[in-house]
Amino acid sequence: MSNDTYPDFTPAPDDVVWDLPGEGPQRTSLLVLPHAGGNAHAYAEWRAHLPADVRLLIGQYPGRGARFAEDLPRTIGDLAGPVVASLPAGTTDDLVVLGHSMGSLVAFEVVRALQAAGRTPRALVASACRAPFLANPCAVHPERLDDDQLVAAIKERGGTDDGILDEPDLREIIIPSIRADFAIDDVYRCEESAARVDCPVTVIGGDADPVAPATTLGRWAQITDRPFDSYVLPGGHFYFQQRLPEFFAVLAPVVGGHLPARAAA
């Protein structure tokens, strides 16, 4: 795991991985890993855009939600390890792992860990992120920024409710986990020789994303010998927020099945 070690404890599994199944038998599981500073709440609305037979799983990182009292993460292993340990039984039989921004790197490490355990997922989807063997071209350096400067940097990227960032009491709660996540994202890099997965890879990004420029997304093809697909949608770093139907139309062939009518409308 890129010289990182997993924590030596496992929190309550349902606090680490939210389980939002659809109706009826669940054919496929989609595991979503949030962006730096993100949490599971931000992705819960995706349930309405997925087929009823796709089980939605969302990772919740330390320092937020029910895991607020835990130590803040220091390495990518602190983010990925508990997720791997907390996956509900049976979900790796037909699992697609998706991450957004830093979450793509967490997703990559989750796939590698499952692969090492003989439980390779069906596919990896990376959204708005550099390939894992590349150095971070847009490091935030949170250790150099005071809270106001860090908030400004977050707002520039988008993806976080500005009302939360502008409310002093709420900001005080979320800033530590944001600092921790960006510190991990700043320095993470997997050796190119080790950056390999044995499953198909799909990468999606925004055409105006300054953090993960569309021209760099193709580098993800180097981590697999399996099928690779790349898609670019209009928008910035959080391109999907204004284009969820188009985003899930791209995702649909990966998870299989058909979009529900309310998402396709």
Side-chain angles (χ1 to χ4, degrees), residues 68 146-152 154-155 160-179:
F68 180 77
D146 62 28
D147 285 356
D148 289 338
Q149 291 170 325
L150 182 58
V151 165
I154 296 166
K155 287 183 176 181
T160 301
D161 183 352
D162 288 353
I164 294 176
L165 294 173
D166 291 335
E167 174 57 46
D169 291 341
L170 293 175
R171 190 170 83 168
E172 184 176 351
I173 292 172
I174 67 172
I175 281 292
S177 61
I178 291 174
R179 286 188 178 279

Side-chain angles (χ1 to χ4, degrees), residues 35-193:
H35 57 281
N39 59 62
H41 296 272
Y43 296 87
E45 68 173 304
W46 286 21
R47 174 64 273 167
H49 294 264
L50 289 167
D53 59 354
V54 173
R55 184 180 191 179
L56 176 61
L57 307 171
I58 312 172
Q60 183 78 298
Y61 302 144
R64 60 218 86 185
R67 304 186 67 193
F68 180 77
E70 292 181 32
D71 291 341
L72 291 171
R74 293 180 297 173
T75 70
I76 202 84
D78 293 336
L79 300 174
V83 170
V84 172
S86 301
L87 286 173
T91 56
T92 55
D93 293 342
D94 193 358
L95 176 66
V96 175
V97 184
L98 179 153
H100 178 68
S101 193
M102 180 200 72
S104 297
L105 304 176
V106 180
F108 165 73
E109 289 290 0
V110 166
V111 170
R112 285 216 301 157
L114 290 171
Q115 183 173 295
R119 302 155 61 198
T120 304
R122 180 157 60 82
L124 167 64
V125 181
S127 170
C129 187
R130 69 191 186 275
F133 53 83
L134 298 177
N136 190 337
C138 293
V140 175
H141 300 294
E143 73 281 359
R144 303 178 187 174
L145 306 179
D146 62 28
D147 285 356
D148 289 338
Q149 291 170 325
L150 182 58
V151 165
I154 296 166
K155 287 183 176 181
E156 186 176 356
R157 290 190 174 208
T160 301
D161 183 352
D162 288 353
I164 294 176
L165 294 173
D166 291 335
E167 174 57 46
D169 291 341
L170 293 175
R171 190 170 83 168
E172 184 176 351
I173 292 172
I174 67 172
I175 281 292
S177 61
I178 291 174
R179 286 188 178 279
D181 288 357
F182 278 121
I184 293 169
D185 190 26
D186 276 359
V187 302
Y188 174 84
R189 188 175 185 180
C190 182
E191 289 294 330
E192 190 166 356
S193 60

Side-chain angles (χ1 to χ4, degrees), residues 22-35:
E23 299 176 357
Q26 301 298 283
R27 170 181 49 82
T28 298
S29 296
L30 173 66
L31 171 64
V32 177
L33 285 311
H35 57 281

